[in-house]
Amino acid sequence: MDIKELLDYLGKEIPVSYACSWDNSGLQVGHAGKEVKKVYIALDATEQVVYDAVMKQCDFILTHHPLLFKGIKQVTGDNSIGRKLYMLIGNDIACYSAHTNFDAMPGGMGELAGALLQLGCVSPLEDMSGHLEDPWGIGVVGNLTEPMALGAFCDHVKQVFGLKNVDLFAADGLENPVKRIAVCPGSGRSMIDAVIQSQADVFLTGDIGHHEGIDCVDMGISVVDAGHFGLEKIFVPVMAEKLSQAFPELEIYTAKPAAPCKVY
């Protein structure tokens, strides 16, 4: 299939118009007219991912996090970005990223995480939709079907997302019941004001700092940090299923779900 067909699909399925102004979603590397037979899907375009895509003779890499985020002034083999660009261009592999547009769109990362947790009455944590009928934005806030002890909720998160551990900033004891949950699968450091306004009992996020964590505790909100990779890895199987259904002729490969940060 022609790359334009795949780009048109991604543009309609995950519109770049949902992306934050500071983001760099969309085609990172590639050219029009390229034929695509094999697609590799990953959370990040690491050197291992790009190398694996080369070995599998893939034509297209789809990632959540952008390969090119900040401006670059040189493309050399002296740094990771340069080496990856050399591999991609040298092997004629296109690279496309669906970042905050996938996070914010209706049915995107936040809603997917909320659905896995079986949250009800879900609404955007940071509403970016303005006066549009269908609300969308970064993260979600919703209610558990029944109150759950804080410790049990941590276990629930580990089970749902296949995690061995989470970090907990506990505002109350582990037996204290929680019901209203705010979720931001990526970095939640800038979302504290929205979490407070949401009146959540718990903030589940993938990347929180020490100071933000203790600030939440001071406000009576517990924070569960499940890791940036731990929550956002759902991007890979979701997009693999979408592309397989839309283009059954494509060969789909996915990165192994290995967290880049290990706990020892």
Side-chain angles (χ1 to χ4, degrees):
M1 60 180 287
D2 191 282
I3 190 175
K4 187 177 185 303
E5 187 178 354
L6 180 54
L7 294 178
D8 287 345
Y9 169 82
L10 291 171
K12 293 176 181 176
E13 187 72 16
I14 317 171
V16 175
S17 58
Y18 287 117
C20 295
S21 59
W22 47 263
D23 194 17
N24 187 33
S25 290
L27 187 64
Q28 310 280 294
V29 178
H31 60 87
K34 175 178 173 55
E35 186 178 6
V36 177
K37 295 181 179 180
K38 298 180 180 181
V39 175
Y40 194 104
I41 305 174
L43 190 66
D44 298 276
T46 63
E47 287 193 55
Q48 180 58 50
V49 161
V50 176
Y51 178 78
D52 198 23
V54 171
M55 292 298 98
K56 289 179 168 57
Q57 298 183 313
C58 291
D59 312 292
F60 193 97
I61 296 175
L62 172 63
T63 67
H64 179 49
H65 296 131
L67 169 65
L68 300 174
F69 196 70
K70 299 179 181 179
I72 58 173
K73 295 183 178 180
Q74 293 177 317
V75 178
T76 71
D78 296 331
N79 59 71
S80 177
I81 292 292
R83 289 191 295 271
K84 288 185 281 191
L85 289 173
Y86 267 116
M87 280 195 284
L88 289 168
I89 296 170
N91 290 277
D92 196 18
I93 300 174
C95 185
Y96 187 102
S97 299
H99 190 210
T100 55
N101 47 333
F102 185 84
D103 289 335
M105 72 177 195
M109 189 78 80
E111 290 191 24
L112 288 168
L116 288 171
L117 292 165
Q118 298 182 324
L119 299 183
C121 304
V122 171
S123 60
L125 180 58
E126 183 182 57
D127 195 333
M128 300 164 61
S129 57
H131 299 291
L132 299 179
E133 292 184 6
D134 296 325
W136 55 273
I138 300 295
V140 295
V141 59
N143 299 325
L144 295 168
T145 305
E146 296 291 339
M148 183 181 293
L150 177 59
F153 176 73
C154 290
D155 290 335
H156 179 50
V157 170
K158 289 188 286 185
Q159 180 180 14
V160 166
F161 291 95
L163 306 173
K164 292 183 179 180
N165 60 277
V166 296
D167 290 334
L168 172 65
F169 292 85
D172 295 301
L174 294 181
E175 297 303 319
N176 280 46
V178 297
K179 184 170 184 178
R180 189 157 177 78
I181 312 297
V183 185
C184 178
S187 176
R189 298 184 184 207
S190 64
M191 305 290 288
I192 304 302
D193 288 343
V195 173
I196 293 171
Q197 292 176 11
S198 74
Q199 298 183 319
D201 301 312
V202 178
F203 181 29
L204 170 62
T205 186
D207 193 355
I208 199 73
H210 169 80
H211 298 289
E212 293 84 6
I214 61 176
D215 286 347
C216 282
V217 168
D218 284 345
M219 296 298 296
I221 302 169
S222 296
V223 179
V224 179
D225 187 338
H228 208 118
F229 177 87
L231 296 181
E232 289 197 329
K233 64 183 180 181
I234 59 177
F235 172 85
V236 175
V238 167
M239 289 310 304
E241 182 177 0
K242 284 180 178 292
L243 290 187
S244 294
Q245 291 180 353
F247 305 105
E249 71 274 21
L250 287 178
E251 290 185 47
I252 306 294
Y253 297 92
T254 58
K256 295 180 180 178
C261 181
K262 310 297 183 185
V263 177
Y264 287 96

